Amino acid sequence: MIRRLLSATVIALTAGCGSPPKTHYCALDLPSRAQPNGDARAVLSVAELSVAAAYDDQRIVYRQGPYRLDYYEYHQWSRPPGLVISDYVRDALAQTGRFRRVTDERSPDSSLILGGRVAAFDEIDVSATQEVGRVEL
């Protein structure tokens, strides 16, 4: 009887001691497009965007309603959100072909410098089966 009780206790204690959940890392990716040919002369420098404190976390933020903000523990951005969005903006502007060069570093030949702030960067759970992404710059 005691042996069975000990066996049951050991099984119960070890059942919850599995391996931790796997962390999934996400990134933003642009669809590939051919760059238009143009006579672009401007050099654009895209500065790293600052991020509102609530979103300055590698964990992905989600909302199930307008007043509550939560974080996924095992779904994270591959890099800090300011870098993820800055790189996406830089790459998207480079694809337009409107600039001779788009870079993340200021240089003497920079014609324009783009900076800004990420005010929101989250997943909105519209319903049990529908989510939308939101980015406010």
Side-chain angles (χ1 to χ4, degrees):
M1 174 79 161
I2 291 179
R3 186 178 224 169
R4 273 192 252 167
L5 182 59
L6 282 173
S7 295
T9 303
V10 169
I11 290 171
L13 289 174
T14 58
C17 296
S19 60
K22 182 178 178 180
T23 301
H24 299 275
Y25 295 95
C26 302
L28 299 178
D29 193 23
L30 289 171
S32 58
R33 293 187 338 199
Q35 290 189 2
N37 293 330
D39 191 20
R41 295 185 180 163
V43 174
L44 174 65
S45 296
V46 178
E48 182 181 344
L49 302 172
S50 64
V51 181
Y55 303 96
D56 197 14
D57 193 302
Q58 261 183 261
R59 296 175 296 172
I60 294 177
V61 177
Y62 70 96
R63 291 179 178 269
Q64 294 179 324
Y67 305 109
R68 182 173 171 174
L69 178 129
D70 289 300
Y71 300 89
Y72 287 113
E73 286 299 320
Y74 300 105
H75 290 84
Q76 300 183 9
W77 293 110
S78 57
R79 300 181 335 144
L83 290 174
V84 169
I85 297 173
S86 298
D87 288 349
Y88 185 89
V89 168
R90 185 191 64 238
D91 294 345
L93 290 170
Q95 277 190 2
T96 67
R98 294 182 180 171
F99 303 96
R100 180 168 43 107
R101 190 175 78 228
V102 179
T103 180
D104 60 352
E105 297 179 9
R106 292 182 185 190
S107 65
D109 64 338
S110 293
S111 310
L112 303 163
I113 298 170
L114 175 66
R117 180 173 181 268
V118 178
F121 187 41
D122 51 16
E123 169 190 304
I124 308 286
D125 295 344
V126 178
S127 69
T129 58
Q130 182 185 12
E131 301 93 18
V132 294
R134 177 177 68 143
V135 179
E136 290 182 11
L137 301 176

